Amino acid sequence: MSRMSDFLSDVKQRREELKAKRPSSFGEVKTSVQDNVIWKSIFRPGSIYRKGYRDTSRDRALAAMNNVLYHLHPVKVKRHGLKLTYTYCLGGLSFFLFILLTITGIFLMFFYRPTAGAGSELAYLDMRNLSASVTFGNLVRNMHRWGAHLMVFTVFLHMARVFYHGAYKPPREFNWVVGVILLTLTLLLSFTGYLLPWDQLAIWAVTVGTEMMGFTPVFGKQVQFVLLGGVEIGPNTLLRWYVLHVLFVPFVTVIFLAVHFWRIRKDGGISGPL
Amino acid sequence: MSEEVQIDQEVYDRLIAEGKSERIARAKAKAASVRKGKVAAGQELGPKSPEENQQALAAFRERSGGGAATAGAGGGAATATKEVPASRLSPEERAARVSASLGGNGNGGSIGVPASSAHTHRLLALVPPAGIQQVQSKQQDKVYTWPHLLIVEFVALLAMTAVVLVTSFFLDAPLGALANPNLTPNPSKAPWYFLGLQELLRYFHPMVAGVTIPGVGLIVLGAAAYVDKNPSAKPENRKFANMAMTFFLVMWTVFVFAGSFFRGPGFNWVWPWVDGLFFEL
Ligand code: HEM
C-alpha cells in the first residue's frame, strides 16, 4: 500500500516538474522557434520574422529589403504610380496571369501526353479524360484556357496604357522594345497551346495560322516545314508545339520578363506623373 | 609604392615588450620609421595644433578683408543659423573660401553640401566637372512599397484569381471532335487575336495580310519609341501620336470583330443576329 502511494506521489511530482518546464505561453514558443540556427539561417538579420514588425518607417523599409520581392520592387515607389488609374495594374496582372498559367499548366502536364496519329490518339484522349475523371481537371483546364485569353488581352491593354502615357519615351525606349517582344511571345505562347487539345478547332486554327506563314517571301515553304515538322500538320507538329509551349517559349519569356522588370527600376521606376 | 618600408626596430622591441601583438607592433614600427623620415626631410607632420589653426584662420581673415569675422556673431538676419565660435569659419567665410578655390565661376561653389550651410563637412577634393556623373535626382513624392504598393497588388491578385475562378467554374473550355485532317470545318478560324489578320486575307494577297502587315506592324510598333522625338508625355502635347495610335487600335479592333463575329461559312459575311455566331475561343 505504501509502495503504491509512494509511486503515485512520485508520478505527481514528476508531472509538476514537466509542467514547469513546458513553455507556458505563445510568446515562449515563439522565442524558442525563432531563437535557433535554422530560423536564423532562413531569415536575414533585420528581417521582420526575426525581430517582429512595428509599423515604423524603418520596419516598412526592412520589410521590403529583406524580402525576395526586393528583386522586383524598390523600398519606395512614386506615390502617383499607386493610383489605380495610372497603370490599372495591367502589367502586374499580365505577370500574375503568367504565374497562374505556369501553375495550372504544370498541373495539366501531369495528365497529358503529346501523342497523336492513328491508333495512338493519346493527346485527345487525355484531354477527354482530364475533363471527365481527373479531380479538378476540368476546372484547372478552364482556368488555363481562360487565363491565357485574358493574358493576351491584358498585355494588349498594358501596351495601350503605356503608349497613351508616353511611357515609352527616353529613357524607356528600350523597355518598350522589350515589351513588343513580350507581346509577340505572349501570342506565341497562346498560339502554341491552342494546338495541344488536338481537336478539330485546334488543328484547323493552326492550319489557318501556319498557312499564312507559308507565304513568307523567299523561304516561306521552309518556314512552314520547320513550324509543322513536316509538309502538313501531324503528330510531329504536336510534339514540336508541345515542347515549344511548355519549355522553350516560357523560358525565353521569363528571360525577357526579367529584363523588362530590371529596366523598369533602372529607368527610374514607373514613368510620370504626366 | 614598391619600396618596402623599414621598421623602426627600437619601437618594435618596445611594443613587443609591452605585450602588443606582433602585427600591431610591426605596423606601428613602420609608421614610426615613416614619421622619422618625414621629420628628417623637414616636412610637416599630422594635423595642425590648435594654435597653428588659429594663426591660419587669422591669416585667412586678414586676406579676405576682416569684416566677415563678425558676421556670424550679432546681426538679426543671421540668428536663424547656429552661433559659430570665433575659432571656426563662419558659413559666409566658408562660402567665400570655397568659391575662391573654385575660381569664382559664379555658381556659388555648390559642390556637395551648399557652402552656406551650417554643417561643417570638409571639402575633400575638387573634381573636374567632366568627372562627375550628372545625376538629376529631384525630390519626389514617394511612399513605402510595403504596405502601400504590395497591398494594392495583393488585392489585384485576389480579384484576378476570383475572376478566373468564377469564369472557369461556369464556362467550360471547348473540346470538339478529334482532329481530322481530311475534314475541314466550315468556317475554319484562327484564334481571336489573329482574326484581324484572317479578315485582311479577304482583301490582300496572303503574303501581305499574313506576313508583311504583321511583320511591318511589329517593327513599326517597336520603332515608334525612337521615332517619336516629342519629349512631352502630356496628352495635349501629343495629339498626333495619340490620334495615330487610336486610329490603329480602332482599326485593329474593327477587323478582329469583323473576323470573329461577322464571318460565317466560307468566311463570308454574316450578320450574327440573323445567322448566328461562328466563333469559338
Ligand atoms: C508579358 C507581358 C508583359 C508583362 C508581364 C509586363 C509587365 C510590366 C509591369 C509589371 C510594369 C510596371 C508598370 C505597370 O504595371 O504598368 C511594366 C511597365 C512597362 N511595360 Fe510592360 N509588361 C508586358 C508587356 C509589355 C508590352 C507589350 C509593352 C509595350 C509594347 C510593355 C512596355 C512597358 C513599358 C514601356 C513599361 C514602363 C511603363 C512606365 O514606366 O510607366 N510591356 N510592364
Side-chain angles (χ1 to χ4, degrees):
Chain A
M1 182 66 213
S2 91
R3 303 250 323 251
M4 191 59 184
S5 67
D6 274 3
F7 175 71
L8 278 180
S9 73
D10 241 30
V11 169
K12 221 179 196 170
Q13 201 187 336
R14 185 88 192 106
R15 226 172 61 213
E16 292 300 316
E17 277 173 24
L18 277 178
K19 221 183 204 166
K21 268 193 194 153
R22 207 183 305 148
S24 59
S25 69
F26 176 70
E28 279 176 38
V29 175
K30 203 170 139 206
T31 341
S32 68
V33 169
Q34 296 192 343
D35 194 19
N36 68 54
V37 176
I38 295 170
W39 189 271
K40 286 182 176 169
S41 73
I42 299 173
F43 299 105
R44 303 184 66 247
S47 164
I48 55 172
Y49 300 107
R50 272 207 194 179
K51 300 189 147 187
Y53 179 80
R54 287 168 305 142
D55 198 19
T56 62
S57 295
R58 188 185 136 81
D59 277 6
R60 286 176 173 201
L62 285 175
M65 271 191 274
N66 287 312
N67 191 314
V68 69
L69 284 180
Y70 200 30
H71 278 291
L72 293 184
H73 288 314
V75 167
K76 282 183 146 193
V77 292
K78 292 179 194 163
R79 186 191 296 277
H80 83 89
L82 289 178
K83 244 178 66 189
L84 197 62
T85 52
Y86 192 72
T87 64
Y88 294 96
C89 216
L90 284 166
L93 287 177
S94 307
F95 182 52
F96 174 61
L97 282 169
F98 182 75
I99 308 267
L100 190 75
L101 288 165
T102 309
I103 296 169
T104 51
I106 291 173
F107 178 91
L108 295 177
M109 282 178 78
F110 286 125
F111 306 101
Y112 176 86
R113 285 161 294 180
T115 323
S120 60
E121 296 286 5
L122 290 182
Y124 183 73
L125 293 179
D126 284 346
M127 292 307 291
R128 280 250 168 268
N129 188 45
L130 186 73
S131 311
S133 47
V134 173
T135 313
F136 292 127
N138 199 39
L139 182 72
V140 177
R141 174 172 178 233
N142 291 346
M143 287 175 74
H144 197 73
R145 182 86 168 199
W146 303 136
H149 285 311
L150 205 56
M151 179 172 166
V152 173
F153 196 57
T154 56
V155 171
F156 263 123
L157 292 181
H158 170 59
M159 182 191 76
R161 101 86 194 142
V162 168
F163 188 90
Y164 286 118
H165 282 160
Y168 56 83
K169 302 196 171 193
R172 296 185 176 80
E173 315 98 302
F174 179 65
N175 218 12
W176 170 264
V177 176
V178 174
V180 174
I181 295 172
L182 281 171
L183 173 68
T184 317
L185 288 168
T186 308
L187 292 177
L188 281 178
L189 271 174
S190 176
F191 193 46
T192 49
Y194 214 77
L195 181 64
L196 303 187
W198 204 249
D199 59 351
Q200 281 288 68
L201 182 61
I203 69 156
W204 288 100
V206 170
T207 306
V208 171
T210 47
E211 249 165 31
M212 285 194 218
M213 297 290 193
F215 286 98
T216 311
V218 191
F219 26 71
K221 286 294 156 221
Q222 283 86 339
V223 169
Q224 201 179 358
F225 190 88
V226 170
L227 281 175
L228 294 181
V231 285
E232 58 174 27
I233 199 161
N236 284 342
T237 320
L238 179 59
L239 179 58
R240 194 161 286 210
W241 285 42
Y242 174 73
V243 175
L244 288 175
H245 182 70
V246 303
L247 225 58
F248 183 75
V249 190
F251 175 69
V252 177
T253 305
V254 165
I255 292 176
F256 278 96
L257 282 178
V259 176
H260 198 56
F261 297 155
W262 169 73
R263 273 304 290 248
I264 293 171
R265 283 186 67 173
K266 288 292 167 186
D267 294 338
I270 199 89
S271 64
L274 288 184
Chain B
M1 286 314 286
S2 61
E3 189 178 321
E4 184 66 22
V5 178
Q6 292 302 315
I7 64 167
D8 188 323
Q9 197 60 44
E10 196 182 316
V11 175
Y12 181 80
D13 291 341
R14 177 166 54 78
L15 288 171
I16 290 293
E18 281 173 16
K20 289 277 188 309
S21 82
E22 202 218 356
R23 195 168 53 84
I24 289 181
R26 174 138 21 80
K28 290 201 164 176
K30 273 187 185 171
S33 97
V34 169
R35 228 179 290 123
K36 241 185 210 164
K38 279 193 174 171
V39 171
Q43 282 172 343
E44 270 185 43
L45 275 188
K48 292 187 179 112
S49 68
E51 300 82 52
E52 280 172 329
N53 264 338
Q54 284 309 311
Q55 279 165 16
L57 192 57
F60 171 71
R61 287 190 173 140
E62 194 90 13
R63 255 183 285 131
S64 58
T70 52
T79 45
T81 55
K82 262 191 273 165
E83 292 285 289
V84 180
S87 58
R88 296 240 206 101
L89 287 179
S90 71
E92 292 77 9
E93 284 170 333
R94 189 149 9 88
R97 203 163 115 177
V98 169
S99 86
S101 61
L102 285 174
N105 60 3
N107 68 5
S110 61
I111 282 183
V113 178
S116 55
S117 119
H119 297 287
T120 54
H121 292 283
R122 259 199 301 164
L123 184 66
L124 289 179
L126 290 174
V127 180
I132 301 175
Q133 197 186 357
Q134 295 293 328
V135 182
Q136 292 182 351
S137 57
K138 272 180 265 159
Q139 184 70 34
Q140 282 175 332
D141 189 10
K142 289 196 169 183
V143 293
Y144 282 103
T145 299
W146 169 259
H148 303 284
L149 177 58
L150 288 183
I151 282 185
V152 175
E153 284 182 342
F154 187 62
V155 171
L157 186 158
L158 287 183
M160 181 54 94
T161 313
V163 167
V164 175
L165 255 177
V166 170
T167 314
S168 304
F169 198 80
F170 291 108
L171 268 182
D172 272 347
L175 185 62
L178 172 67
N180 182 352
N182 302 315
L183 186 70
T184 315
N186 193 5
S188 294
K189 287 190 175 186
W192 64 270
Y193 38 87
F194 287 153
L195 282 181
L197 294 178
Q198 206 177 341
E199 174 71 18
L200 285 178
L201 272 178
R202 296 293 294 196
Y203 314 106
F204 297 102
H205 183 269
M207 192 175 90
V208 178
V211 183
T212 317
I213 292 183
V216 171
L218 279 178
I219 292 173
V220 168
L221 191 64
Y226 297 90
V227 174
D228 182 358
K229 297 276 182 210
N230 174 3
S232 172
K234 287 196 186 352
E236 58 268 32
N237 295 336
R238 43 198 306 263
K239 294 207 174 84
F240 175 74
N242 283 349
M243 257 165 50
M245 186 64 169
T246 309
F247 175 75
F248 285 117
L249 286 181
V250 169
M251 287 291 281
W252 181 255
T253 315
V254 166
F255 278 103
V256 168
F257 266 78
S260 302
F261 305 123
F262 294 85
R263 292 290 178 181
F267 217 68
N268 291 316
W269 194 265
V270 294
W271 300 108
W273 49 90
V274 180
D275 310 281
L277 276 180
F278 298 88
F279 178 67
E280 275 184 289
L281 276 170

